[in-house]
Amino acid sequence: PVLGLRLDGGPEVRVELGDADFFDLGHSAFFNSLPVARDRLLEPGPAREYTMRFVRVPELTAEPAWQSYEPLGNRTVRYRSAGFEADISFDADGFVTLYQDYLERVG
């Protein structure tokens, strides 16, 4: 799989997934939903580890990044990566509703 990105009408940047499990786009909570939806992480269970193809914004550079998702129950997952940790809440469809101390979906 390939992720095509374009900022401010500039040229498209294509990022290959390679051997990573998922793409993760900086400052986009949507991409945290991908492992949660695929691996059904809304119920309590052991932490799952992933290698992501992390795309930095606005640079649009990509690098591998290790991430851990620990299902806590009540549609909440503890996210860990590179010394950062946050609890993320999801709706019944697996989309982010609250990213602790970072963002909240409104509307």
Side-chain angles (χ1 to χ4, degrees):
V2 175
L3 182 64
L5 303 164
R6 183 185 322 264
L7 289 179
D8 298 325
E12 182 179 62
V13 174
R14 297 174 61 80
V15 179
E16 299 267 343
L17 183 61
D19 60 354
D21 299 301
F22 296 99
F23 290 105
D24 189 7
L25 183 65
H27 309 294
S28 175
F30 169 77
F31 288 85
N32 294 104
S33 297
L34 299 177
V36 170
R38 185 190 77 182
D39 294 336
R40 300 184 180 122
L41 301 179
L42 296 181
E43 298 299 322
R48 302 280 304 264
E49 295 181 358
Y50 301 94
T51 300
M52 309 299 248
R53 179 70 58 214
F54 184 77
V55 180
R56 294 190 182 281
V57 175
E59 300 88 354
L60 299 183
T61 57
E63 59 193 37
W66 170 85
Q67 295 180 0
S68 172
Y69 289 73
E70 180 184 356
L72 302 177
N74 199 26
R75 297 194 315 248
T76 302
V77 172
R78 180 154 298 139
Y79 167 84
R80 294 182 178 100
S81 181
F84 176 79
E85 180 178 303
D87 289 350
I88 305 174
S89 298
F90 296 83
D91 65 17
D93 294 319
F95 294 104
V96 174
T97 58
L98 178 65
Y99 197 122
Q100 177 189 14
D101 297 327
Y102 182 53
L103 60 82
E104 182 175 4
R105 185 175 78 192
V106 294

